[in-house]
Amino acid sequence: MNASATEFFIPTEDPEIRLHARLVVPKHDSTDGSRGNKQRDGEAQKQWQQKQHWGVFVICHGLLDTKDTELFQSLQQHFAEKAAVGSVAFDFRGNGRSTGVTGYGDYAREAEDIAKVVDHVRRKLGERVIGVLGHSKGASSMLLYAVKYGAECPPLVVSISARFWIARETHARWKEHQLRMLEKEGRFLWRSFGGAPAIDEESGNGRRWASTEPPPPVREYWITRQDLEDRSSVDMRVVQALPLHRVFVLNVAGDADRVVPTDDVWAYVSAMSEAPAYSSMRVSTQVVPGGTHFWTTSEERARLFGVIDKWLDAVLPLAKL
């Protein structure tokens, strides 16, 4: 792709937890006609490159996912090549190549991971963070971040396939023997995750591995009583407190999503409409025909990216970047 990619770890306050991330920015010719096509020195090159893209989006994956699946790899490529936007995709703690342990109800901890990444990109990489984008669980965690860190939240917020009613599906996921083990031992093994993701042959849903690197390690996903309590306590009505006086929000869902019903996106819109600074200019919503939860096919992703592009064209001139 016509972009440069750099992978790195982001430290946290806990020395045992490091977040693995990938920065992708548009790659431009390192020569400048106004200077006789001479190579720039390091500082001049950095300043020139910063002028060649609007800024950087931070991208947040969903449950049991990683930044290296096809949706996020292709999104970063699209941002760089088509929108002149850089991006940092990262693995939440306990996912992908990041260290630490993930949890079924750790939305608040994931919001803190997002805050850490945004701060690192700004302070250590020297990049202007213009937006945050989340998918599925990562979108819900991202919205919690935007509420808690309203004064620091980037001005562009993109929520894709986000669940609003977090506790609604909890017990429908579990088998009887798992619930009996939870009652007896206080926890149960839900499944193994990690490794190379796969596509379900019958439904066509799932995630495609897009990285040239080996898949991340396979981990065990344990569910505890505390996990379920934490998840059930997440109330996404807090989006009523989004700082809509300074941010623009795009909500996107697919009408063929079998994981999160489209009712949830309209529940988000209803809650956001209660925010003091709400306006239809500040909150946009799009249901994409044929879009599944994981946006598996190239056709689905093209429609999704087209929605994002059109929205960016409208709000970039209005956002205070």
Side-chain angles (χ1 to χ4, degrees):
M1 66 180 176
N2 189 27
S4 61
T6 306
E7 296 193 358
F8 51 93
F9 280 98
I10 298 173
T12 68
E13 287 76 9
D14 185 338
E16 299 298 318
I17 298 175
R18 299 192 304 157
L19 307 175
H20 194 259
R22 178 180 57 248
L23 168 68
V24 176
V25 295
K27 183 168 63 176
H28 303 280
D29 192 338
S30 61
T31 59
D32 184 339
S34 65
R35 296 181 58 184
N37 284 337
K38 292 182 178 179
Q39 185 79 22
R40 295 182 185 83
D41 61 39
E43 184 60 29
Q45 174 73 6
K46 180 179 178 181
Q47 293 175 358
W48 182 79
Q49 285 183 335
Q50 288 176 339
K51 294 177 182 178
Q52 301 306 301
H53 60 275
W54 287 92
V56 167
F57 262 84
V58 169
I59 298 175
C60 315
H61 67 76
L63 179 69
L64 300 172
D65 212 348
T66 165
K67 69 182 182 311
D68 291 318
T69 46
E70 194 165 20
L71 172 60
F72 307 109
Q73 293 264 24
S74 58
L75 178 59
Q76 287 196 279
Q77 178 177 341
H78 179 85
F79 270 160
E81 294 184 350
K82 306 298 184 183
V85 170
S87 60
V88 170
F90 76 99
D91 293 326
F92 283 110
R93 64 182 66 195
N95 291 270
R97 301 182 191 284
S98 292
T99 60
V101 178
T102 187
Y104 192 63
D106 63 352
Y107 291 79
R109 288 189 293 274
E110 289 191 348
E112 296 304 317
D113 286 350
I114 297 169
K116 174 58 64 176
V117 173
V118 170
D119 182 72
H120 184 90
V121 174
R122 284 171 171 161
R123 296 179 183 274
K124 299 298 184 180
L125 302 187
E127 289 281 0
R128 177 173 56 180
V129 182
I130 63 170
V132 285
L133 179 151
H135 171 251
S136 194
K137 184 188 179 192
S140 300
S141 299
M142 175 204 66
L143 290 167
L144 294 178
Y145 156 80
V147 170
K148 181 174 181 179
Y149 292 93
E152 302 169 23
C153 179
L156 306 179
V157 176
V158 181
S159 172
I160 302 171
S161 307
R163 189 182 298 279
F164 184 85
W165 306 107
I166 302 295
R168 178 173 288 179
E169 51 68 61
T170 299
H171 290 291
R173 261 186 177 153
W174 318 127
K175 299 176 181 178
E176 289 188 12
H177 75 274
Q178 292 173 326
L179 295 176
R180 287 196 300 270
M181 186 175 292
L182 180 69
E183 183 66 25
K184 181 180 179 180
E185 301 183 11
R187 69 172 192 163
F188 65 84
L189 177 62
W190 177 23
R191 59 184 297 176
S192 296
F193 74 108
I199 303 297
D200 182 82
E201 293 183 1
E202 181 177 348
S203 67
N205 288 332
R207 311 164 176 88
R208 285 192 174 90
W209 185 249
S211 176
T212 58
E213 297 295 323
V218 175
R219 295 179 167 105
E220 292 183 338
Y221 205 120
W222 289 85
I223 303 294
T224 68
R225 290 197 188 99
Q226 188 62 53
D227 288 329
L228 297 182
E229 290 174 7
D230 289 346
R231 184 178 173 100
S232 295
S233 69
V234 177
D235 186 353
M236 296 309 302
R237 289 176 295 182
V238 297
V239 296
Q240 296 173 2
L242 279 169
L244 293 182
H245 63 286
R246 56 176 302 274
V247 305
F248 295 84
V249 179
L250 172 63
N251 298 300
V252 186
D255 70 359
D257 191 331
R258 298 183 182 180
V259 178
V260 177
T262 54
D263 289 352
D264 284 55
V265 74
W266 298 117
Y268 271 113
V269 174
S270 177
M272 291 177 188
S273 69
E274 300 296 322
Y278 171 82
S279 74
S280 58
M281 182 183 71
R282 289 283 176 173
V283 178
S284 302
T285 304
Q286 184 75 47
V287 176
V288 180
T292 61
H293 188 71
F294 298 107
W295 306 91
T296 306
T297 69
S298 58
E299 292 79 9
E300 291 173 64
R301 292 192 297 275
R303 290 193 289 269
L304 171 63
F305 298 168
V307 168
I308 296 172
D309 289 346
K310 185 176 180 180
W311 178 74
L312 286 174
D313 287 342
V315 300
L316 276 173
L318 303 175
K320 296 180 180 180
L321 301 178

